[in-house]
Amino acid sequence: MRAVWFEGREAMMIDQRELPHRIAVVGFRGHEEVAEAIRNMTTRGAPSIGAAAAYGMCLAALNKKDLDDAARTIKAARPTANDLFYAVDRMLADLRNGIDPIKAADGYAQEIVDKCTRIGEYGNALIKDGDIIMTHCNAGALATVDVGTALAPIRKAWGDGKRIFVYASETRPRLQGMQLTAWELSQEGIPHSIIADGASGHFMRKGVNMIITGADRIVANGDFANKIGTYEKAVIAKELKIPFYVAAPVSTFDLSTKNGDDIEIEERSENEVTMIGNVRIAPAGSKALNPSFDVTPAKYVTGFITENGILKPNEIHRMRTK
Ligand code: MRU
């Protein structure tokens, strides 16, 4: 089963808000509903958001809606992940070139899976037997239609018989590391422990061979946005000389933005911080701040693992994103 796909006249998704308790599948018939599913994180993770957006544009075309309007609605769903904008623009071009809407969107989703497979192969070459690897948030199959970005090398290394161990930080405020990454690792029997976000430095000092995270947007100077909490990990990793890799397809690179400070960081509801499920855990009088992502400067990145190979931050400006 994939995280996002098309069936009959519906864009189908695993409802990631229900995991790890149950696998619930939901279907949507209109692009507005798909935009809402991206906004409320029924589906999430930059490449899966891109695939959902592609199917949203497909539905708009099948339902004979104005494509520019649909593109605006879908792009407004979330601001940070570059794949959302990349996918909508790709679909607009394909639809205007007369490509069948379902073929175009299915092709886009399949492309993501193929790219993630290649990311897995390049990343696996960096992993040695016995390595202890740390990751953050969820950059697995759920976040990328299938296979994963940060989890792709880990899966491949395990599949090749390397005895690895993974620390998955729980990832506040929505706990994607605990609820999604740990679930994916358990499904495959990959040895791992969930750790609190605040325990990352402690475990890095005890011994971590490498960190691999995903990314939501990587800009021209090599700065990148990823789930809140990534920046601290990167800074500590540099202090401890632990290699820090970022795995992402070319669709996550935004070379039109020069500097990480110019990336729009999504601010989400404070309820995601003050509540767990439907239960408020914060004092009644306290307010919370909830930036979804942080920006990690390029100087902390050892390399970007892409479908075209591994790049150093200062090599990004030469890459082709189209
Ligand atoms: O807010 P989310 O869950 O959509 O955030 C995206 C992520 O899962 C992470 O930031 C991830 O590391 C990059 S997307 C593969």
Side-chain angles (χ1 to χ4, degrees), residues 2-13 47-48 50-59 61-62 87 90-92 94-95 99-115 144-146:
R2 289 187 165 183
V4 185
W5 70 99
F6 202 76
E7 206 173 289
R9 283 288 283 242
E10 291 186 319
M12 310 295 294
M13 299 170 195
S48 280
Y55 286 122
M57 289 301 294
C58 163
L59 284 169
L62 294 175
R90 256 281 296 278
M91 283 297 291
L92 270 178
D94 283 358
L95 294 169
I99 300 180
D100 172 75
I102 300 177
K103 232 182 184 165
D106 275 347
Y108 185 84
Q110 184 56 45
E111 237 178 61
I112 296 172
V113 179
D114 295 342
K115 289 173 179 177
T144 67
V145 183
D146 203 355

Side-chain angles (χ1 to χ4, degrees), residues 41 44-47 49 78 136-139 143-144 149 176 213-216 226-227 266 292-293:
M41 291 168 79
R44 43 140 305 281
I49 289 173
R78 291 187 73 186
H136 186 57
C137 196
N138 173 263
T144 67
T149 49
Q176 289 98 319
T213 72
D216 293 84
N226 194 49
K227 180 58 53 188
E266 177 181 17
S292 210
F293 305 98

Side-chain angles (χ1 to χ4, degrees), residues 48-89:
S48 280
I49 289 173
Y55 286 122
M57 289 301 294
C58 163
L59 284 169
L62 294 175
N63 295 333
K64 313 238 174 301
K65 301 288 181 186
D66 182 275
L67 292 181
D68 288 317
D69 273 357
R72 271 191 294 276
T73 303
I74 295 170
K75 283 183 174 182
R78 291 187 73 186
T80 306
N82 193 59
D83 297 63
L84 173 63
F85 308 101
Y86 181 95
V88 169
D89 289 341

Side-chain angles (χ1 to χ4, degrees), residues 37-316:
I38 294 171
R39 197 198 59 72
N40 68 24
M41 291 168 79
T42 301
T43 195
R44 43 140 305 281
S48 280
I49 289 173
Y55 286 122
M57 289 301 294
C58 163
L59 284 169
L62 294 175
N63 295 333
K64 313 238 174 301
K65 301 288 181 186
D66 182 275
L67 292 181
D68 288 317
D69 273 357
R72 271 191 294 276
T73 303
I74 295 170
K75 283 183 174 182
R78 291 187 73 186
T80 306
N82 193 59
D83 297 63
L84 173 63
F85 308 101
Y86 181 95
V88 169
D89 289 341
R90 256 281 296 278
M91 283 297 291
L92 270 178
D94 283 358
L95 294 169
R96 292 203 168 115
N97 283 333
I99 300 180
D100 172 75
I102 300 177
K103 232 182 184 165
D106 275 347
Y108 185 84
Q110 184 56 45
E111 237 178 61
I112 296 172
V113 179
D114 295 342
K115 289 173 179 177
C116 287
T117 304
R118 295 210 292 281
I119 287 172
E121 284 158 5
Y122 282 116
N124 177 35
L126 302 167
I127 299 175
K128 295 183 298 304
D129 187 31
D131 271 357
I132 299 176
I133 303 164
M134 184 177 283
T135 189
H136 186 57
C137 196
N138 173 263
L142 290 161
T144 67
V145 183
D146 203 355
V147 183
T149 49
L151 286 197
I154 291 171
R155 282 209 158 86
K156 178 83 175 101
W158 180 250
D160 283 2
K162 296 180 191 170
R163 288 158 295 178
I164 53 172
F165 184 86
V166 180
Y167 288 120
S169 41
E170 61 182 350
T171 318
R172 285 290 291 156
R174 281 186 68 117
L175 305 176
Q176 289 98 319
M178 174 153 69
Q179 303 204 309
L180 306 177
T181 299
W183 181 74
E184 289 194 36
L185 293 169
S186 338
Q187 297 286 308
E188 303 216 10
I190 302 175
H192 66 282
S193 285
I194 300 163
I195 58 168
D197 289 3
S200 300
H202 170 76
F203 285 107
M204 280 190 241
R205 275 193 71 202
K206 280 170 79 87
V208 165
N209 300 99
M210 67 191 301
I211 298 179
I212 315 180
T213 72
D216 293 84
R217 185 184 296 240
I218 302 162
V219 300
N221 71 347
D223 295 353
F224 74 101
N226 194 49
K227 180 58 53 188
I228 192 81
T230 304
Y231 174 47
E232 283 100 312
K233 280 190 173 58
V235 173
I236 297 172
K238 193 170 176 78
E239 168 70 17
L240 299 176
K241 301 190 173 40
I242 299 169
F244 187 101
Y245 287 97
V246 178
V250 162
S251 50
T252 304
F253 288 74
D254 164 19
L255 300 193
S256 67
T257 301
K258 300 283 170 257
N259 193 295
D261 292 335
D262 298 328
I263 300 174
E264 184 179 344
I265 300 295
E266 177 181 17
E267 292 281 344
R268 295 185 63 87
S269 160
E270 65 174 326
N271 292 346
E272 291 179 352
V273 177
T274 56
M275 299 172 72
I276 290 194
N278 293 324
V279 180
R280 185 170 174 102
I281 52 168
S286 296
K287 297 210 119 339
L289 296 170
N290 185 17
S292 210
F293 305 98
D294 57 26
V295 171
T296 299
K299 67 177 179 183
Y300 295 109
V301 179
T302 309
F304 291 98
I305 309 170
T306 77
E307 69 270 30
N308 298 326
I310 301 173
L311 299 173
K312 295 217 175 312
N314 63 9
E315 293 172 324
I316 287 178

